[in-house]
Amino acid sequence: MNRRSFLRWANLAGLTAGLPSVRAFGSTADDSKPASPAKKTASPETILLKDYRPNSIYKIPVTEIPRAKFPIIDMHSHPYAKTASEIDAWVKTMDEVGVQKTIILTMTTGAEFDEISRKYSKHPERFEMWCGFDFSGYDKPGFGPAAVKELERCRQAGARGIGEIHDKGKGLRSGKSNAPGMHPDDPRMDSLFDKAGELGMPVSLHVADPIWMYQKMDIHNDGLMNAYEWRLDDQPGIVGLSGMVDIFERTLARHRNTTFIACHFMNLDYDLARLGEVLERNPNLHADISARYAETGPIPRFASQFYAKHADRLLYGTDMGFDKAMYQVTFRILESLDEHFYENEQFGYHWSLNGFGLSDEILKQVYRDNAVKLLAARRS
């Protein structure tokens, strides 16, 4: 299952070191891929943007990276594998691509968390379970103690962190548990975030969504192919991306003893300079890079400079299923210097991608070392 198919499933469910080989010059990334089957021949005037599948014309090197250059801890995944055989297959893929451990953000509490933990318990060294928050009664007097109690129970049942908690501008969500209108900086959340810090449980928080989801769906929208499917511009009362970043930063300042992970570059992949400023102001914050490879791939020089400056605060993550090809495209973007290539199976944009060519030192930090420090610190 790749990210695009998972997102469709999740939306329906109520969730929204080998050396690389290089092909010879004159070969392109698309040479070995069969052309997407066309439903019917279309004229240029009737081709829809969502059906646009360009092939690169450039005869330039194509780097194949079957295995990450250094061992990996994947800090952002979900319980995509549903059966014992699928979980075993996932472990096999992890072995082949170089992933030592995967953090499973279950987003759940109660019996659902316990069931997911049971399924993955055969591989305790390869998968780590994180729970969600229970927002039941968030709009009633006295909210807090019961949610804290359930968090403590999940910790005793094996949860080592919390996530992925969502707020795309209309309120908090943890899997199927919703708190419309309540944002992370709401005083009602204080006891939960404080308890997370006391228990040494990092909080993986997803605020907002990519900027083009909030922009007008018109000819100027750079990410229209994805934006229209996941649009947020037509929802009244929604807090915009910038406002959600402000809310997150107030939350960080309010809970200095709690470690937070901003999922997906805090959705500031379009404004990495602002993300860098937020990181510099908040020592209790890390950012994962999951599911934002296509969003940063078009700006390789600026993105690689950002990685160099903030390498000690970034965490590798996927959030895109467990297919081998999915991992490998992330390696290609992070490790290679390839230019102008497309990835239509994992990502839904019209633009081409480029590799960052990150140094060994940065790769080691992002792939594993930063995660090791973060996970070890919570046990002190």
Side-chain angles (χ1 to χ4, degrees), residues 40-325:
K40 60 181 179 179
T41 302
S43 72
E45 289 80 12
T46 60
I47 295 174
L48 299 178
L49 188 60
K50 69 181 180 64
D51 298 325
Y52 187 54
R53 295 292 185 273
N55 294 322
S56 175
I57 62 170
Y58 293 96
K59 303 301 179 180
I60 52 179
V62 174
T63 307
E64 295 179 339
I65 307 178
R67 182 181 177 88
K69 196 171 188 180
F70 302 104
I72 283 175
I73 296 177
D74 184 345
M75 289 294 295
H76 190 136
S77 195
H78 296 288
Y80 300 108
K82 305 302 181 185
T83 65
S85 61
E86 287 182 347
I87 294 171
D88 290 344
W90 192 351
V91 171
K92 184 175 183 292
T93 297
M94 289 166 60
D95 289 338
E96 291 172 350
V97 300
V99 176
Q100 289 185 336
K101 177 182 283 190
T102 296
I103 305 302
I104 301 293
L105 306 178
T106 73
M107 306 182 282
T108 62
T109 58
E112 191 173 359
F113 172 77
D114 295 344
E115 176 61 16
I116 294 171
S117 296
R118 184 195 63 76
K119 287 183 178 180
Y120 283 81
S121 62
K122 180 182 174 182
H123 303 281
E125 301 303 317
R126 309 307 299 277
F127 297 105
E128 180 175 297
M129 300 295 115
W130 289 22
C131 66
F133 283 142
D134 182 0
F135 294 126
S136 300
Y138 80 98
D139 55 347
K140 303 291 192 303
F143 172 75
V148 167
K149 185 176 181 180
E150 175 57 19
L151 179 61
E152 292 175 318
R153 190 203 70 81
C154 287
R155 178 65 178 83
Q156 293 173 351
R160 304 294 292 133
I162 300 157
E164 171 185 11
I165 309 302
H166 291 76
D167 188 347
K168 297 184 179 183
K170 301 195 79 172
L172 287 159
R173 184 161 49 86
S174 179
K176 299 173 184 176
S177 185
N178 301 317
M182 184 169 76
H183 301 294
D185 64 342
D186 192 296
R188 288 172 288 180
M189 289 299 298
D190 286 349
S191 61
L192 277 168
F193 287 139
D194 288 343
K195 179 58 67 172
E198 179 186 325
L199 294 173
M201 301 175 75
V203 180
S204 182
L205 189 57
H206 174 145
V207 296
D209 247 358
I211 185 65
W212 26 87
M213 307 332 187
Y214 300 87
Q215 296 175 333
K216 291 181 179 179
M217 300 294 137
D218 60 17
I219 60 173
H220 304 294
N221 191 314
D222 196 13
L224 186 60
M225 289 179 74
N226 252 1
Y228 186 73
E229 185 172 2
W230 308 106
R231 66 186 302 181
L232 296 169
D233 65 301
D234 58 350
Q235 298 191 30
I238 193 168
V239 179
L241 191 153
S242 184
M244 286 308 307
V245 171
D246 290 340
I247 285 173
F248 199 161
E249 193 156 11
R250 288 196 293 270
T251 305
L252 292 164
R254 197 177 180 108
H255 303 282
R256 288 299 187 199
N257 293 324
T258 302
T259 298
F260 289 87
I261 301 168
C263 301
H264 320 307
F265 286 114
M266 204 184 295
N267 282 301
L268 288 172
D269 43 83
Y270 79 105
D271 190 358
L272 293 174
R274 183 178 180 186
L275 175 57
E277 293 168 358
V278 176
L279 287 168
E280 290 167 2
R281 286 193 292 264
N282 297 281
N284 57 330
L285 176 67
H286 288 72
D288 82 40
I289 67 174
S290 67
R292 295 298 178 264
Y293 297 93
E295 288 79 357
T296 51
I299 52 168
R301 288 185 293 276
F302 193 79
S304 61
Q305 291 168 9
F306 175 81
Y307 274 84
K309 187 173 182 179
H310 301 286
D312 62 334
R313 307 289 287 283
L314 301 177
L315 302 164
Y316 177 88
T318 54
D319 190 28
M320 298 184 292
F322 58 96
D323 293 343
K324 188 184 300 184

